[in-house]
């Protein structure tokens, strides 16, 4: 992906369709549109997945909680959503096998009734998946449960139920969608914000004024159809286009804490806490060598920047600890993050917890703006298909979505044996690095390893105890449109999510490499470095207020 080339096209060409918003929904729409042969533009005000789409629990799922709600409330809409999610689960695992894979989850049950309840519920979950089911769920004795999840406190449960869902790297999947769209010919640019619209004599939108957030320059982007895929900010764009539009979106904040694997002990299975005092389910999930625990659900302002707060960290640690032999402590938290769920409201008085995670494609008759609202990560592909179907009708084009079969960049040719072949081909590189690169970039790992072959120092790690190497910085700048340290250390390399202090420690080296690759001035490199360290400091202080003398000052001046 080359931002300059894309920017030139965005400024000079006329597009069939312009997607505004580069999260899962927008990047999914761009891929759907371009793969149908439409001339496609995608703009994102910050970075791909910089809002909600990099802050999910990273589950590719139908949603066991939604299944329970569907039965408790006799809600066929919820049931259909679960079925769609289960259908898509298999598709996502197939189109990005390097980024999404099956995950075993163990649900502890306090008594025989709970064991029966969850066994039946999870069998229904299997059944709803039909031919697309994963390994079947099954009841586990206490002894068996301990084999899957050795950290259990033996007195906290009587038996357990094992089931399977999918797990993925959300930000890298999102990037994969944008990259694959670009590879097929879409003009894709991050750090470009849609500011306002221009309409024709009939009031239909014909252009958007776009500001390049890296330079401050503005330009008009012309397209026949504009899609609003701006997540929790959808109302802002809808009302910019047509001030008479009523508010539709609500936001609910969800927070996660990240702990080192050693805090829980080695396990490949996740723990599902079936019910908290406030009626939530919580997940404690092994993810990229760490433990990720989430999530909360509280009403939020759709425009706020969400941070993990101390009460949220305590809530998560406390509830999961009830099931562990060695309770977790706040001091073990190394990282964390929070995001805003884009929820569609039918009833303005409903609580955010009760809103169905379904989506809607709205066409504003007055301006022609197509807005995609609501939904969840797992169903982004179906949401995109519905949206582009609606756009095709407006364009008078009849084509069908092809994304069900479209393998994302890095996934083509990837198989369980790929790592082995890479290990034997790059025998001189640390096997841990080769494995890490294969699991992160899929078949694109070859390109990162070639950088290491050319310059051996690029095999050096950015920071101790984490697998990320210098070559990844060069690759992110050259091939993945990373333009800021946040793009790099939060979403291309996910260090800033899992370990705030390590991310601060990696900042000087990462900043030098990124700056040199992008041709940034020393002043700009220093500015970015200060800004990123400040952001990490804020994440730490918001989550776990620390005394002034313990503040980390690496890289700040
Ligand atoms: C805590 C939490 C956990 C979750 N866990 C899961 C899970 O495990 N599995 C699952 O399936 N789903 C999960 N979800 C839901 C899922 O993450 C979201 O539904 C999904 O990421 C929303 O994607 P989106 O593209 O609609 O929104 P966003 O990711 O918010 O993308 C919208 C984008 O639009 C951009 N934008 C806004 N205004 C403009 C403008 N004017 N010009 C250009 N760009 C603009 C923003 O910068 C943003 O990047 C979770 C959500 C949360 C909050």
């Amino acid at each position: 992906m080359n931002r300059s080339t894309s920017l030139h096209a965005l400024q000079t060409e006329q597009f069939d369709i312009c997607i505004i918003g580069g999260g899962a929904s927008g990047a999914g729409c761009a891929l759907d549109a371009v793969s149908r042969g439409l001339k496609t533009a995608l703009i994102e005000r910050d970075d791909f997945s910089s809002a909600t789409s990099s802050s999910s629990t990273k589950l590719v799922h139908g949603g066991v909680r939604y299944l329970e709600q569907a039965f408790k409330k006799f809600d066929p809409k919820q049931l259909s959503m679960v079925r769609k999610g289960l259908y898509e689960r298999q598709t996502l695992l197939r189109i990005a096998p390097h980024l999404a894979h099956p995950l075993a989850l163990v649900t502890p049950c306090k008594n025989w009734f709970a064991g029966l309840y969850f066994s039946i519920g999870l069998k229904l979950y299997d059944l709803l998946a039909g031919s697309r089911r994963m390994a079947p769920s099954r009841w586990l004795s206490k002894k068996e449960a301990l084999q899957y999840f050795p950290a259990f406190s033996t007195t906290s449960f009587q038996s357990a139920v094992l089931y399977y869902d999918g797990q993925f790297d959300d930000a890298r999947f999102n990037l994969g969608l944008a990259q694959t769209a670009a590879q097929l010919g879409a003009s894709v640019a991050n750090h470009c914000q849609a500011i306002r619209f221009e309409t024709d004599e009939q009031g239909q939108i014909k252009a958007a004024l776009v500001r390049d957030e890296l330079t401050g320059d503005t330009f008009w982007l012309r397209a026949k159809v504009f899609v609003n895929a701006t997540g929790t900010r959808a109302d802002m764009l809808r009302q910019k286009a047509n001030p008479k539009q009523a508010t539709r979106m609500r936001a609910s904040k969800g927070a996660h804490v990240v702990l080192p694997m050693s805090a829980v002990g080695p396990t490949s299975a996740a723990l599902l806490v079936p019910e908290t005092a406030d009626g939530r389910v919580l997940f404690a999930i092994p993810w990229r060598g760490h433990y990720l625990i989430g999530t909360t659900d509280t009403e939020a302002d759709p425009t706020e920047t969400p941070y993990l707060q101390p009460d949220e960290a305590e809530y998560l640690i406390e509830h999961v600890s009830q099931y562990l032999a060695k309770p977790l402590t706040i001091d073990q938290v190394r990282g964390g993050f929070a995001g805003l769920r884009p929820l569609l409201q039918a009833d303005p008085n409903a609580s955010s917890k009760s809103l169905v995670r379904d989506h809607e494609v709205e066409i504003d008759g007055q301006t022609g703006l197509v807005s995609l609202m609501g939904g969840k990560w797992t169903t982004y592909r179906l949401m995109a298909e519905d949206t582009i179907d609606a756009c095709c009708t407006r364009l008078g084009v009849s084509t069908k979505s092809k994304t069900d079969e479209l393998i994302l960049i890095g996934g083509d040719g990837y198989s369980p044996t790929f790592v082995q072949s890479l290990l034997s081909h790059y025998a001189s590189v640390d096997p841990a690095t080769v494995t890490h690169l294969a699991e992160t970039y899929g078949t694109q790992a070859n390109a990162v390893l070639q950088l290491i072959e050319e310059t051996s120092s690029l095999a050096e790690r950015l920071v101790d105890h984490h697998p990320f190497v210098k070559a990844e910085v060069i690759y992110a700048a050259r091939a993945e449109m990373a333009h800021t340290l946040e793009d790099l250390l939060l979403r291309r390399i996910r260090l800033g999510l899992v370990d705030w202090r390590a991310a601060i420690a990696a900042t000087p080296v990462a900043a030098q490499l990124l700056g040199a690759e992008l041709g940034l001035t020393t002043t700009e490199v220093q500015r970015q470095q200060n800004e990123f360290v400040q952001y990490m400091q804020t994440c730490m202080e918001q989550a776990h207020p620390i005394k002034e003398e313990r503040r980390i000052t690496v890289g700040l001046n």
Side-chain angles (χ1 to χ4, degrees):
M1 280 195 299
N2 184 297
R3 192 167 179 274
S4 309
T5 313
S6 280
L7 278 177
H8 180 71
L10 293 172
Q11 289 168 26
T12 54
E13 295 175 19
Q14 159 88 28
F15 292 86
D16 290 325
I17 186 160
C18 169
I19 320 287
I20 303 171
S25 307
C29 284
L31 183 57
D32 193 295
V34 73
S35 59
R36 294 189 200 209
L38 298 174
K39 190 166 170 59
T40 305
L42 170 67
I43 52 166
E44 159 56 48
R45 73 195 274 268
D46 186 343
D47 184 27
F48 311 112
S49 82
S50 55
T52 307
S53 296
S54 57
S55 306
S56 78
T57 310
K58 298 155 202 359
L59 288 174
V60 186
H61 63 163
V64 283
R65 186 162 74 92
Y66 309 136
L67 179 66
E68 190 179 26
Q69 283 178 5
F71 280 104
K72 279 187 174 163
K73 295 180 183 166
F74 302 107
D75 185 347
K77 209 168 167 196
Q78 289 261 24
L79 200 62
S80 140
M81 249 200 58
V82 175
R83 193 184 294 114
K84 282 182 198 164
L86 289 170
Y87 185 88
E88 284 303 298
R89 181 179 70 178
Q90 199 201 42
T91 307
L92 268 61
L93 265 64
R94 195 182 62 244
I95 64 172
H98 56 309
L99 296 173
H101 53 83
L103 174 73
L105 294 108
V106 180
T107 311
C109 307
K110 293 216 184 252
N111 51 46
W112 71 266
F113 176 75
L116 185 68
Y117 181 79
F118 288 113
S119 293
I120 293 173
L122 288 163
K123 278 288 166 221
L124 278 172
Y125 197 61
D126 292 345
L127 274 175
L128 270 181
S131 62
R132 294 193 161 213
R133 69 178 168 272
M134 298 176 131
S137 63
R138 69 184 180 91
W139 179 86
L140 299 177
S141 68
K142 190 180 275 193
K143 199 172 152 197
E144 285 175 307
L146 282 162
Q147 281 163 9
Y148 279 95
F149 195 78
F152 266 136
S153 141
T154 50
T155 53
S156 66
F157 71 113
Q158 193 196 56
S159 65
V161 182
L162 169 74
Y163 78 103
Y164 292 84
D165 251 329
Q167 179 185 40
F168 74 141
D169 184 326
D170 48 9
R172 291 207 59 88
F173 199 112
N174 199 141
L175 179 71
L177 291 170
Q179 278 183 300
T180 311
Q183 204 177 39
L184 293 178
S187 297
V188 171
N190 54 2
H191 302 288
C192 280
Q193 174 161 204
I195 307 291
R196 64 184 164 88
F197 296 113
E198 187 180 65
T199 52
D200 62 16
E201 305 79 54
Q202 283 82 43
Q204 298 288 299
I205 297 173
K206 61 175 188 180
L209 184 67
V210 178
R211 184 170 60 226
D212 179 340
E213 298 294 340
L214 297 180
T215 61
D217 296 343
T218 55
F219 61 90
W220 286 100
L221 196 167
R222 296 181 191 283
K224 294 177 192 155
V225 179
F226 284 82
V227 173
N228 169 12
T230 56
T232 58
R233 291 175 169 261
D235 282 337
M236 269 167 264
L237 215 58
R238 289 170 66 243
Q239 289 167 349
K240 245 174 211 171
N242 179 359
K244 289 192 207 122
Q245 289 271 43
T247 303
R248 296 291 312 276
M249 297 303 293
R250 295 261 294 272
S252 124
K253 181 186 171 194
H256 295 83
V257 290
V258 182
L259 290 87
M261 199 64 144
S262 56
V264 181
T267 163
S268 57
L271 165 69
L272 181 146
V273 173
E275 185 152 31
T276 61
D278 59 338
R280 290 201 55 69
V281 300
L282 296 183
F283 295 95
I285 300 176
W287 188 74
R288 294 196 167 272
H290 303 270
Y291 240 86
L292 194 154
I293 301 176
T295 175
T296 54
D297 192 340
T298 47
E299 193 87 33
D301 173 350
T303 58
E304 75 178 61
T305 303
Y307 290 97
L308 167 71
Q309 299 291 323
D311 56 331
E312 293 165 333
E314 272 159 26
Y315 168 92
L316 295 169
I317 293 283
E318 195 185 301
H319 278 88
V320 167
S321 289
Q322 287 170 12
Y323 290 92
L324 304 181
K326 228 169 63 189
L328 305 171
T329 65
I330 284 288
D331 289 342
Q332 291 172 309
V333 172
R334 294 282 178 277
F337 55 94
L340 300 179
R341 297 177 186 86
L343 303 177
L344 247 185
Q345 68 173 0
D347 171 6
N349 296 318
S351 86
S352 63
K353 280 176 216 162
S354 68
L355 293 177
V356 176
R357 268 59 165 167
D358 209 353
H359 71 277
E360 186 180 312
V361 180
E362 174 198 77
I363 301 166
D364 177 15
Q366 203 167 313
T367 65
L369 182 67
V370 178
S371 292
L372 169 57
M373 295 175 286
K376 60 180 194 162
W377 232 121
T378 307
T379 50
Y380 83 88
R381 200 197 61 78
L382 282 181
M383 293 155 58
E385 183 174 334
D386 286 353
T387 309
I388 305 305
D389 279 349
C391 294
C392 282
T393 307
R394 287 191 69 76
L395 289 166
V397 178
S398 89
T399 54
K400 289 226 168 343
S401 174
K402 299 186 173 80
T403 52
D404 197 10
E405 297 296 334
L406 216 164
I407 308 291
L408 301 192
I409 190 165
D412 219 1
Y414 186 84
S415 71
T417 57
F418 175 72
V419 182
Q420 287 311 320
S421 66
L422 215 59
L423 281 167
S424 49
H425 193 269
Y426 294 96
S428 61
V429 183
D430 177 0
T433 297
V434 176
T435 307
H436 156 71
L437 295 177
E439 289 172 355
T440 308
Y441 301 89
T443 48
Q444 292 296 306
N446 276 304
V448 187
L449 283 156
Q450 270 160 27
L451 293 173
I452 292 175
E453 280 208 324
E454 284 157 28
T455 314
S456 60
S457 62
L458 291 180
E460 288 166 15
R461 292 193 176 195
L462 286 178
V463 65
D464 288 344
H465 310 301
H466 292 276
F468 312 106
V469 293
K470 291 180 178 175
E472 291 178 79
V473 179
I474 309 296
Y475 184 73
R478 276 185 203 169
E480 298 183 336
M481 220 181 261
H483 279 269
T484 69
L485 278 172
E486 278 195 26
D487 298 350
L488 180 73
L489 291 174
L490 288 176
R491 293 174 288 273
R492 308 301 181 278
I493 291 171
R494 312 225 53 199
L495 189 58
L497 219 68
V498 297
D499 193 334
W500 296 313
R501 284 168 190 273
I504 290 174
T507 300
V509 175
Q512 289 309 321
L513 288 165
L514 187 71
E517 187 58 33
L518 296 176
L520 304 179
T521 62
T522 319
T523 318
E524 173 60 10
V525 170
Q526 192 60 56
R527 188 196 66 75
Q528 282 211 24
Q529 200 172 317
N530 291 351
E531 195 175 282
F532 183 72
V533 171
Q534 192 58 55
Y535 177 66
M536 287 287 96
Q537 290 276 14
T538 308
C539 289
M540 276 196 281
E541 288 172 13
Q542 293 265 342
H544 187 193
I546 51 177
K547 294 197 178 70
E548 195 57 28
E549 64 268 24
R550 282 177 57 203
R551 281 174 67 94
I552 295 179
T553 51
V554 178
L556 275 177
N557 63 8

